[in-house]
Amino acid sequence: MSPHKTKRENFIRAVARLDAAVQDYQQYHMESIRDGMIQRFEFSFELAWKALKEYMTEQGVSDLQFPKQILQEAYAAGLIDDQAVWLEMLRARNSMSHIYDDELAAKIAQRIDAVFLPVLQSLVQFFKS
């Protein structure tokens, strides 16, 4: 198995785990589950942009280094649908990685459930096809 395929497979598994955490949080609505869900979002998002980078590199796109640049190129190539949401996910990941704020965590948890998870699942479907 190529390392590129492994990155995509890891991303697919990470999103499945994020989905499970979202379902747990919907059912139990506990802060500890919310925090785990946010952490799963962080590594799912990290794997998403890295898998996109690897995919685009395989397609001949070079000089991709930074997440924002990769997301912009993926949008331009039609690999992702909503650049604004992807950039929002990048900001959410960055804000939670550097500063923990309970109010912000609650807002991000809501966005993960309502918006971010479906967008990540859409990328999963692209990689599976």
Side-chain angles (χ1 to χ4, degrees):
M1 180 181 291
S2 77
H4 306 311
K5 182 73 169 175
T6 301
K7 284 192 183 304
R8 290 192 286 267
E9 291 298 321
N10 287 340
F11 165 69
I12 290 167
R13 283 192 297 274
V15 172
R17 292 185 53 158
L18 174 59
D19 184 37
V22 168
Q23 290 177 36
D24 288 346
Y25 185 60
Q26 288 170 343
Q27 184 173 358
Y28 299 108
H29 215 70
M30 296 170 56
E31 284 184 14
S32 60
I33 295 172
R34 179 197 67 198
D35 294 349
M37 178 182 72
I38 290 170
Q39 188 168 32
R40 286 185 181 185
F41 161 72
E42 289 173 6
F43 69 74
S44 294
F45 178 80
E46 194 74 15
L47 287 167
W49 75 260
K50 289 179 178 180
L52 281 165
K53 177 183 178 181
E54 293 295 342
Y55 178 84
M56 289 187 293
T57 299
E58 289 174 3
Q59 303 303 310
V61 179
S62 60
D63 297 326
L64 298 175
Q65 296 180 13
F66 305 105
K68 186 175 182 178
Q69 175 192 30
I70 291 161
L71 296 174
Q72 290 169 335
E73 290 295 322
Y75 177 73
L79 303 176
I80 58 176
D81 292 329
D82 192 335
Q83 181 178 359
V85 170
W86 280 92
L87 294 176
E88 179 187 354
M89 287 193 290
L90 176 61
R91 287 189 302 274
R93 191 276 321 242
N94 289 344
S95 65
M96 292 310 296
S97 295
H98 301 296
I99 299 171
Y100 187 83
D101 176 284
D102 197 53
E103 185 176 324
L104 180 60
K107 289 177 184 176
I108 289 175
Q110 181 181 27
R111 294 295 287 166
I112 291 169
D113 184 9
V115 179
F116 298 166
L117 178 59
V119 168
L120 291 168
Q121 289 169 326
S122 178
L123 184 59
V124 165
Q125 292 310 308
F126 170 78
F127 284 141
K128 285 185 171 183
S129 61

